[in-house]
Amino acid sequence: MSGTGGIVVIGAGLGGLAAAMRLAGAGRDVTVIEARDVPGGCCGTASLDGYRFDTGPSVLTMPEVLADAFAAAGEDMESRLPLRRLDPYYRMRYHDGTHLDVVPGEDAMIEQVRALCGAAEADRYRRFRARLGELFAAEWPAFIDRDMTRLRHLVRPLVLARLAALGGFRRLDGLVRAHLTDDRLVRAHTFQALYVGLSPQRALGIYAVIAHMDTVGGVFFPRHGGMHAIPQAMAAAAEKAGAQIRYGTRALKVEAGPHGVSAVLLDTGERLPARHVVVACDLPGAHDGLLPKAAGDWRLRRPRHSPSCVVLHVGLDRRLDGQAHHTLHFGREWRSTFSALAAGRPQPDPSLLVTYPAADTAAAPAGHATLTVLEPAPNLHGGADWDRLAPRLEDRLLARMADLGYGDLAGRPRLRFDPPAWARLGHSAGTPFALDHRFSQTAWFRPAGAARRVPGLHFAGMHTAPGVGVPPVLISGRLAAERILESPR
């Protein structure tokens, strides 16, 4: 690295890699520091007894956002990372024995709704689907695809009025129920509130666009290597563009002087001169020693974290005929389950997300497969005794899976990730979902993408805008890179 310093990216997760790809593609001198031995961050991988599991996101939406990052590094995504569109996107199974497949194509999806809910509800769904499209068209350029942590990018009054007219500032549950009457269909379009850490009764209507991204934009999965193939391909593209990635190395301190960042101190004893630093790791944790005190952000004085989850990864000795990639098993209870989470208690009757990545045939021995089940759970701030609670929830999960027809999984190889495990992986409050998206932690109120009092210090990842989810995290990396490329430093 040059004596005057280049750009150091801390963290080779999706946000850090997205920034590195763009900066290296623009000819900048980029070094990525990653504490683990592989790229990925939250989009991680784990192995057990010949089985390989994705430990983070299980699907990709808005693939054009990822393709744009590859293009910035001079790569064609389809050549390096071919994707397949899932069909169905999701399978919703309800406690009354009915189910709804979320499938590609408007007409095909309307027929699914008609078969389950009747012709009148299908007509209501058609109109609601159009409303989601309008909401997405207004929201994407104004809230998601721009740096909303900068005052000069605050949304214009006419855009706010348009979003308000479309119901974006209503509560999500109320917005959906104003258009749909069948409770099963309402659940199918409001469960996504958990992605932003809130119940449907508390989340804003603007987050209905998550359902639009799934049901209209489509759900994708890599053709080879599972979801962890995404950060592997991104890292390879960044290195080909000229970035250096140093694995197994930890950043200890971002040094800054009166004119901004100056260097990054590593656990090897090295001091890397830096003109810019992108911090793309857990942000509350970074403020606990990694960052200079002047980088403090008032938005993090009282951070409110999302609920966490308990995840079991299981190695099966068989394949499951007809099983969808994603199956959401709804419990009988609904509102009470969210109330329990908000109070820091386990859900009494949780809805379970089961992932069966049949397309990733190399993840298991021949004739075998992997299965992942996720149950929402309180984070570590809830005060639970996880030494006692985690085994109890695991036993309940295994019993529930047996009742749902998945057989006896108790004797199969399995890995468990619970809030203490997420904390050991570096996630504040023991949740892999970062800060929730209540109004006071959305857009300008979310932690800033750049440190105002430390020139050259930038942030990417779930904790800054746009927020949680693969496309928003990729966008956060792009925004960090754009700030650097525009900077006089």
Side-chain angles (χ1 to χ4, degrees):
M1 181 172 281
S2 64
T4 57
I7 302 166
V8 177
V9 177
I10 301 175
L14 300 185
L17 290 172
M21 292 166 74
R22 291 181 176 278
L23 293 166
R28 299 302 193 267
D29 184 5
V30 182
T31 300
V32 181
I33 304 301
E34 171 54 49
R36 300 177 191 173
D37 295 329
V38 294
C42 292
C43 194
T45 185
S47 298
L48 177 68
D49 295 348
Y51 295 91
R52 172 174 47 76
F53 306 99
D54 288 322
T55 58
S58 52
V59 292
L60 174 69
T61 58
M62 304 295 293
E64 58 270 26
V65 176
L66 182 58
D68 188 54
F70 278 96
E75 293 269 336
D76 172 59
M77 183 182 73
E78 186 61 27
S79 299
R80 188 178 281 276
L81 183 71
L83 303 175
R84 64 186 293 267
R85 183 191 292 263
L86 298 177
D87 187 3
Y89 300 150
Y90 287 88
R91 177 165 292 153
M92 314 284 186
R93 291 199 174 275
Y94 301 96
H95 63 85
D96 61 1
T98 59
H99 79 275
L100 174 69
D101 279 357
V102 180
V103 298
E106 179 176 4
D107 292 340
M109 188 61 216
I110 289 171
E111 284 306 311
Q112 289 283 329
V113 174
R114 190 189 315 278
L116 178 68
C117 309
E121 189 75 347
D123 288 340
R124 285 188 285 268
Y125 170 73
R126 184 190 297 274
R127 292 191 292 271
F128 177 63
R129 186 180 172 106
R131 174 59 62 91
L132 288 183
E134 294 178 90
L135 189 60
F136 179 83
E139 186 178 338
W140 179 265
F143 271 101
I144 303 173
D145 200 36
R146 66 189 306 180
D147 191 352
M148 284 300 299
T149 66
R150 302 167 89 174
L151 277 172
R152 64 187 176 91
H153 284 169
L154 287 182
V155 180
R156 297 186 302 272
L158 287 178
V159 176
L160 291 174
R162 175 63 174 160
L163 289 170
L166 292 170
F169 300 117
R170 299 183 61 178
R171 297 302 174 184
L172 177 61
D173 185 74
L175 170 63
V176 176
R177 290 185 185 277
H179 294 84
L180 304 174
T181 61
D182 191 295
D183 190 63
R184 294 167 297 182
L185 206 55
V186 170
R187 292 191 185 194
H189 289 86
T190 57
F191 80 90
Q192 298 90 348
L194 273 178
Y195 296 164
V196 297
L198 299 170
S199 72
Q201 290 75 38
R202 293 195 62 195
L204 291 175
I206 56 175
Y207 293 113
V209 299
I210 302 175
H212 172 88
M213 292 162 66
D214 287 351
T215 60
V216 178
V219 178
F220 298 80
F221 191 75
R223 290 190 177 275
H224 310 288
M227 287 295 289
H228 193 247
I230 295 175
Q232 288 177 324
M234 293 177 70
E239 289 180 308
K240 185 178 178 182
Q244 179 188 9
I245 303 181
R246 298 182 56 175
Y247 296 108
T249 304
R250 187 175 296 275
L252 298 181
K253 187 72 177 179
V254 176
E255 298 181 347
H259 303 295
V261 297
S262 57
V264 176
L265 181 65
L266 307 181
D267 62 356
T268 61
E270 296 172 82
R271 181 179 179 275
L272 295 182
R275 192 178 295 116
H276 292 276
V277 174
V278 179
V279 176
C281 54
D282 183 85
L283 189 51
H287 279 283
D288 188 20
L290 175 65
L291 301 178
K293 289 185 178 180
D297 190 330
W298 61 268
R299 301 167 183 87
L300 279 171
R301 288 175 186 166
R302 294 185 62 196
R304 303 298 182 91
H305 287 83
S306 293
S308 186
C309 58
V310 173
V311 177
L312 293 185
H313 299 286
V314 184
L316 302 178
D317 59 0
R318 66 195 188 282
R319 297 186 67 80
L320 305 179
D321 293 337
Q323 179 76 19
H325 181 95
H326 264 168
T327 303
L328 188 61
H329 294 275
F330 287 103
R332 287 183 180 274
E333 299 295 328
W334 190 239
R335 286 178 179 264
S336 63
T337 62
F338 297 108
S339 299
L341 277 185
R345 302 189 306 271
Q347 294 184 308
D349 183 22
S351 298
L352 306 181
L353 177 63
V354 174
T355 303
Y356 177 69
D360 189 8
T361 55
H368 294 217
T370 64
L371 191 75
T372 297
V373 55
L374 180 152
E375 173 184 331
N379 62 42
L380 291 181
H381 290 168
D385 180 356
W386 280 99
D387 288 338
R388 298 178 59 188
L389 181 58
R392 200 156 51 84
L393 290 183
E394 181 174 358
D395 289 343
R396 187 178 74 167
L397 259 178
L398 292 170
R400 176 84 181 277
M401 292 294 285
D403 290 343
L404 291 170
Y406 291 94
D408 183 5
L409 304 179
R412 299 303 307 158
R414 65 183 185 273
L415 295 172
R416 184 182 77 210
F417 288 80
D418 51 30
W422 296 123
R424 289 192 294 272
L425 289 172
H427 297 291
S428 296
T431 173
F433 304 118
L435 306 179
D436 69 33
H437 281 257
R438 66 187 65 203
F439 179 78
S440 59
Q441 294 186 152
T442 295
W444 188 72
F445 297 109
R446 205 157 182 86
R452 182 173 59 85
R453 293 182 293 169
V454 185
L457 182 57
H458 309 265
F459 305 103
M462 296 184 291
H463 287 87
T464 188
V468 177
V470 174
V473 166
L474 294 171
I475 290 170
S476 77
R478 191 202 82 212
L479 295 174
E482 289 176 350
R483 285 192 298 270
I484 291 172
L485 295 174
E486 296 169 359
S487 170
R489 286 174 63 86

